[in-house]
Amino acid sequence: MHYFQAVPKYCYNLNMSAPVKIQYLKGIGPAKAKLFERLEIATVQDLLHYYPRTYQDRRLNTTPNEYNSEALVVLKGRVLRTQLVPAKSILIFKAVLEDEKGHQVECTWFKKRMYRAFRFDPFGQIKKDFHVNNEVWVIGRKQDRGAMFATQITVEEYYVAADTLTKLHAGRLTPIYGLTEGLTNKQFRQFMYEALQSNTLTETPEILPPALLQKRRLLSAPQALKAIHFPNSLAELGTARTRLAYEEFLLLATAWGIKRTQTKILAKDYSYTVKKKLLTPFREQLGFEFTGSQKKVINEIFEDLLSTRPMNRLLQGDVGSGKTVVALCAMLLAVENGYQAALMVPTEILAEQHFLTFKRMLQGLPVNVAILTSSTKSAEKKKILQGLADGMVHILVGTHAVIQDNVQFHNLRLAVIDEQHRFGVKQRSKLKEKTSKLDLLTMTATPIPRTLALAFYGDLAVSTISELPPGRQPIQTECATSRLAYDRVREEVQKGRQAYIVFPLIEESEKISAKAVTEEFEKLKKIFPEFRLAILHGQMSQAEKEDVMADFAAHKTDILVATPVIEVGIDVKNATVMVIENAERFGLASLHQLRGRVGRGAHESYCILVPQHAGHVAKERVDIICATSDGFQIGERDMQLRGPGEILGTRQSGDLEFKAGDVFKDRDILYWAIEDRDELLSQDPGLTKPEHVLFRQKLQELYQQNWHLIDLS
């Protein structure tokens, strides 16, 4: 086919046919429809937009490409002979095939022997299909053992060449889908083929404006859907992905563009004045001077707060760059103007860390800070809720509990969200609903590439703390065994230094073979009998945690054994070793945060990762941390590993769950979308022209489903 056929006449009809439920597609029915529901596929249209997870190149004699696998064998041959081989615990069926070049290949199937009489032949269907001289396609894996045949394979799938539907599974770039229990890829491909033959495909509306289709030489929607599922070539697959990725990028970029316009017309009904009643004494008692980068960022935030428009700013900076103290300055500006401020974080551990940090930094100042999480006792919670309602609580630190309906503020004007990628758009929106107008500051230690910020945070200003405080030491990071790590701990503590040993869990779990800090603490006391050890974890009371951290800061203990409760907020300059057990259990951001607890003083510092059973991705994370301490590099690799939805805080709400696009591989397409978004909105800000109606309707549909970003009414 010619990829760039003439764009079909544009359809302005909004009264399209009602969606066809998936159960009415040939071969599915009510029972299988329930399996598709697990994949969030309710209609045939949903099925068409459920794109393959990857592909296998099952063509014969193909050139190497990303969908080839050396271990995968794709064979089309004629059956020469078959043999049933009984063994002690299994049954083996073998078939010798001859390919078009005369090569003979032995194909093998294994079935577990059942110690009872078979009521059916486990190889019955295979025997029928593999009768002598029949032509078949076989897909399998090479067996690594010598034999009389040049190739021996264990069969994973086979198809009779004469069958009509074999063309879906063999001899082509074959789609591989993400499945649920009860569905196979063979079934899924056949259902997808039925969907592509249905009226649903031909009635799929073309939402992209014709001018953009022509400008970017894109496939039509039906052409792209056919090609993404059953591409005839790698080139056709690339063309289909380009079209579908462009549509995804353009939709979201346009949504944020509209949001940015709407934000600009809002006006605050309150104002700030820099009174310095709290800010000046706060800075005087900090004990350190702000870096030039921190001062710049504070000025940017204060300018936003003093303006007549609500602030919507992202604060990004590496671990240890001082984001928390910058955010606290903004909160104090709100408090000294008679307003309340809230800090929302994703976990109770993080909430406790920030609460303790705020209490320490604000000691002696007339600022009432409270913490609210799901673990807050009823009596204490009642007291906090009353303090929020009457204004006696000035700063609230909390988890998702902050956005519960029963939490009412007296005069909330500033909200800060830490680790914003851990919250969905809906959750951030719910926080904004706590008051009529709100200044919003979000923080992340995972820097967002400028392109993504432009495309997906069009209404968001970005501030970056680009330098670390003076005196920070480079941290030597390595992967080692527990024994070698503990040797380093002993060596450093004998010099008068201190160390952290971190474990991922508090108690043993049958499902997760991670070391439990409570059990390991007892073992470590025997390993280091000459040193003073303390334990810190999330199940301890607030007072116990404060005492343990105070003792460690005062060097009353030498080794702190902890869970990730120490990830942020602890600043002990004498601590020079961080040992992270079960390092594969931690994400990149957490590993980088934990490493940032050392290297704060004048002494050489070390971070030692001790993985146990690291898979490919976990090993890659460990390798990245050992290779660099640059938070921006780590942030970009983190985004590549986890995906932008998780990093940008949109995975929960679905607005960055790209099915076709990849913001790293498809940067050129992303730039197209940003450029075309700007041109589109400059020409038709309300998307009211007839050729833009379906695109506008799709935006509104996505908003109603899950975005909560824009209002196109």
Side-chain angles (χ1 to χ4, degrees):
M1 63 177 280
H2 191 278
Y3 303 136
F4 305 117
Q5 296 177 4
V7 177
K9 186 175 180 181
Y10 199 77
C11 171
Y12 303 117
N13 176 26
L14 299 184
N15 297 317
M16 307 303 292
S17 302
V20 179
K21 291 184 178 180
I22 191 70
Q23 72 180 71
Y24 297 121
L25 189 67
K26 181 180 176 181
I28 293 185
K32 277 198 171 63
K34 292 181 179 178
L35 300 179
F36 281 92
E37 285 177 11
R38 297 180 196 166
L39 301 174
E40 298 183 1
I41 298 173
T43 68
V44 177
Q45 191 67 252
D46 293 339
L47 180 63
L48 289 172
H49 287 88
Y50 191 85
Y51 305 145
R53 175 175 53 83
T54 187
Y55 301 82
Q56 281 184 349
D57 193 340
R58 296 183 178 181
R59 299 171 297 177
L60 296 175
N61 306 317
T62 187
T63 55
N65 61 70
E66 63 180 304
Y67 303 117
N68 278 124
S69 168
E70 288 186 8
L72 187 72
V73 178
V74 179
L75 169 69
K76 183 182 182 184
R78 181 174 60 87
V79 180
L80 296 181
R81 59 185 177 274
T82 62
Q83 179 186 13
L84 181 64
V85 183
K88 185 174 181 181
S89 59
I90 57 174
L91 292 173
I92 304 171
F93 183 79
K94 295 184 177 183
V96 177
L97 272 60
E98 184 179 66
D99 67 13
E100 59 184 8
K101 296 181 179 179
H103 300 145
Q104 292 187 11
V105 179
E106 184 179 80
C107 305
T108 307
W109 289 258
F110 298 92
K111 297 284 184 181
K112 189 173 181 180
R113 181 186 285 276
M114 306 294 289
Y115 291 96
R116 58 182 176 81
F118 279 111
R119 296 184 181 180
F120 64 94
D121 184 348
F123 297 114
Q125 187 60 49
I126 299 174
K127 289 178 180 178
K128 290 179 183 178
D129 293 333
F130 278 72
H131 58 75
V132 175
N133 288 327
N134 201 19
E135 194 171 43
V136 293
W137 283 87
V138 172
I139 293 92
R141 302 283 169 178
K142 290 180 182 178
Q143 295 178 10
D144 294 326
R145 60 174 183 265
M148 62 178 290
F149 297 100
T151 304
Q152 282 188 321
I153 66 172
T154 300
V155 178
E156 295 180 354
E157 299 177 34
Y158 77 87
Y159 302 94
V160 177
D163 288 353
T164 306
L165 294 180
T166 293
K167 64 183 180 182
L168 304 180
H169 314 291
R172 66 172 313 114
L173 277 172
T174 305
I176 306 297
Y177 296 91
L179 301 174
T180 187
E181 188 176 356
L183 288 173
T184 66
N185 259 295
K186 180 179 179 180
Q187 292 172 318
F188 208 97
R189 287 191 285 268
Q190 291 175 184
F191 293 142
M192 189 65 73
Y193 177 75
E194 291 295 336
L196 289 167
Q197 309 309 307
S198 70
N199 291 337
T200 300
L201 178 69
T202 58
E203 293 176 356
T204 297
E206 180 55 80
I207 68 165
L208 292 182
L212 295 183
L213 283 174
Q214 293 171 338
K215 176 183 178 181
R216 300 300 182 187
R217 295 172 61 83
L218 300 173
L219 295 175
S220 69
Q223 288 171 337
L225 288 173
K226 278 188 176 181
I228 199 73
H229 292 293
F230 294 106
N232 292 317
S233 66
L234 289 168
E236 186 177 0
L237 173 59
T239 309
R241 276 195 66 254
T242 294
R243 151 64 206 233
L244 297 169
Y246 174 83
E247 180 178 313
E248 291 176 336
F249 292 158
L250 184 64
L251 280 166
L252 192 61
T254 304
W256 281 115
I258 293 171
K259 178 66 175 177
R260 177 176 55 194
T261 302
Q262 292 177 344
T263 301
K264 285 181 178 178
I265 64 174
L266 293 175
K268 292 192 284 200
D269 52 5
Y270 56 95
S271 61
Y272 297 86
T273 303
V274 181
K275 300 177 180 180
K276 300 185 179 180
K277 291 180 180 178
L278 297 174
L279 286 166
T280 298
F282 170 68
R283 291 188 63 171
E284 288 174 349
Q285 71 180 35
L286 269 180
F288 59 84
E289 186 67 28
F290 289 132
T291 64
S293 188
Q294 282 177 311
K295 291 175 181 177
K296 176 178 176 292
V297 166
I298 289 172
N299 286 333
E300 290 171 348
I301 293 170
F302 278 26
E303 283 179 17
D304 280 359
L305 293 174
L306 295 171
S307 76
T308 59
R309 308 295 179 196
M311 176 175 70
N312 195 11
R313 183 169 289 273
L314 172 68
L315 172 58
Q316 59 182 17
D318 203 351
V319 172
S321 61
K323 296 184 298 296
T324 301
V325 71
V326 167
L328 189 50
C329 286
M331 294 172 137
L332 289 177
L333 178 60
V335 173
E336 68 179 17
N337 278 273
Y339 306 135
Q340 291 171 300
L343 170 66
M344 188 165 74
V345 298
T347 66
E348 290 193 15
I349 288 175
L350 201 52
E352 290 167 357
Q353 291 167 346
H354 281 302
F355 175 66
L356 294 174
T357 301
F358 283 9
K359 281 186 65 178
R360 174 170 51 82
M361 288 184 168
L362 297 173
Q363 192 169 9
L365 296 178
V367 180
N368 186 10
V369 183
I371 181 171
L372 184 64
T373 70
S374 58
S375 298
T376 305
K377 298 289 192 293
S378 296
E380 181 64 18
K381 184 176 181 180
K382 184 177 180 181
K383 182 180 176 182
I384 292 170
L385 292 178
Q386 181 60 46
L388 291 171
D390 61 22
M392 295 304 293
V393 171
H394 304 121
I395 297 176
L396 178 66
V397 179
T399 57
H400 298 75
V402 172
I403 59 176
Q404 297 303 310
D405 292 338
N406 63 341
V407 179
Q408 300 296 325
F409 290 86
H410 175 69
N411 199 8
L412 178 66
R413 291 304 179 204
L414 174 63
V416 181
I417 299 177
D418 194 18
E419 291 201 30
Q420 58 86 34
H421 61 277
R422 305 276 289 275
F423 293 97
V425 172
K426 291 180 182 178
Q427 292 162 325
R428 297 200 290 267
S429 296
K430 199 165 179 62
L431 183 57
K432 289 183 178 181
E433 292 169 5
K434 293 293 180 183
T435 184
S436 58
K437 296 285 191 309
L438 186 70
D439 289 300
L440 181 63
L441 177 66
T442 55
M443 300 195 298
T444 181
T446 306
I448 297 171
R450 183 175 177 274
T451 304
L452 290 178
L454 281 172
F456 307 126
Y457 280 136
D459 65 327
L460 192 69
V462 179
S463 290
T464 303
I465 302 179
S466 55
E467 60 181 313
L468 294 177
R472 293 299 297 267
Q473 299 296 314
I475 303 164
Q476 295 186 32
T477 307
E478 60 184 297
C479 189
T481 63
S482 292
R483 184 179 62 81
L484 291 174
Y486 294 162
D487 285 347
R488 173 71 70 181
V489 169
R490 176 171 280 105
E491 181 183 329
E492 286 296 299
V493 175
Q494 285 173 345
K495 293 178 184 177
R497 314 285 178 248
Q498 291 166 275
Y500 303 100
I501 302 178
V502 178
F503 294 89
L505 293 180
I506 293 174
E507 296 175 347
E508 281 293 348
S509 165
E510 292 179 359
K511 295 183 179 179
I512 303 174
S513 60
K515 295 180 180 179
V517 67
T518 47
E519 292 187 3
E520 293 300 322
F521 179 65
E522 297 302 320
K523 296 177 185 176
L524 289 169
K525 285 197 294 186
K526 296 175 182 176
I527 294 173
F528 299 110
E530 70 273 37
F531 301 137
R532 299 164 296 176
L533 278 68
I535 186 171
L536 183 68
H537 58 71
Q539 292 185 358
M540 296 167 65
S541 70
Q542 197 66 47
E544 288 174 326
K545 292 173 191 170
E546 291 183 36
D547 289 343
V548 169
M549 286 192 283
D551 285 348
F552 190 69
H555 201 173
K556 293 180 180 178
T557 50
D558 303 306
I559 301 172
L560 184 58
V561 182
T563 60
V565 70
I566 63 164
E567 195 171 306
V568 300
I570 291 182
D571 185 9
V572 179
K573 291 178 173 54
N574 193 50
T576 57
V577 185
M578 167 63 69
V579 176
I580 306 175
E581 292 277 3
N582 293 104
E584 76 279 5
R585 299 288 309 161
F586 295 85
L588 263 179
S590 290
L591 290 172
H592 190 46
Q593 287 270 16
L594 287 167
R595 174 169 59 184
R597 296 309 99 204
V598 295
R600 292 169 170 261
H603 310 294
E604 193 169 21
S605 296
Y606 309 88
C607 177
I608 306 171
L609 310 179
V610 185
Q612 278 197 328
H613 311 292
H616 173 71
V617 173
K619 183 179 183 303
E620 192 170 352
R621 286 200 301 267
V622 171
D623 290 345
I624 291 167
I625 289 295
C626 289
T628 181
S629 58
D630 186 320
F632 282 80
Q633 286 186 34
I634 290 169
E636 181 140 334
R637 294 302 303 276
D638 198 17
M639 193 176 294
Q640 290 173 338
L641 288 174
R642 291 198 283 155
E646 206 167 305
I647 300 298
L648 300 186
T650 50
R651 179 148 292 177
Q652 293 106 317
S653 57
D655 58 349
L656 256 184
E657 279 295 297
F658 295 131
K659 298 177 182 178
D662 182 305
V663 292
F664 294 97
K665 293 179 182 177
D666 302 322
R667 285 190 179 183
D668 288 345
I669 305 173
L670 183 55
Y671 282 121
W672 289 359
I674 296 170
E675 178 186 320
D676 294 346
R677 178 270 312 271
D678 293 342
E679 184 178 330
L680 187 65
L681 293 180
S682 68
Q683 294 175 356
D684 186 12
L687 299 176
T688 55
K689 292 181 179 180
E691 62 268 30
H692 299 155
V693 169
L694 286 179
F695 186 71
R696 178 180 182 275
Q697 184 184 19
K698 183 64 175 178
L699 281 172
Q700 187 67 54
E701 175 190 321
L702 291 172
Y703 165 73
Q704 291 169 347
Q705 286 175 356
N706 54 20
W707 278 3
H708 288 250
L709 296 177
I710 57 173
D711 184 1
L712 297 174
S713 58

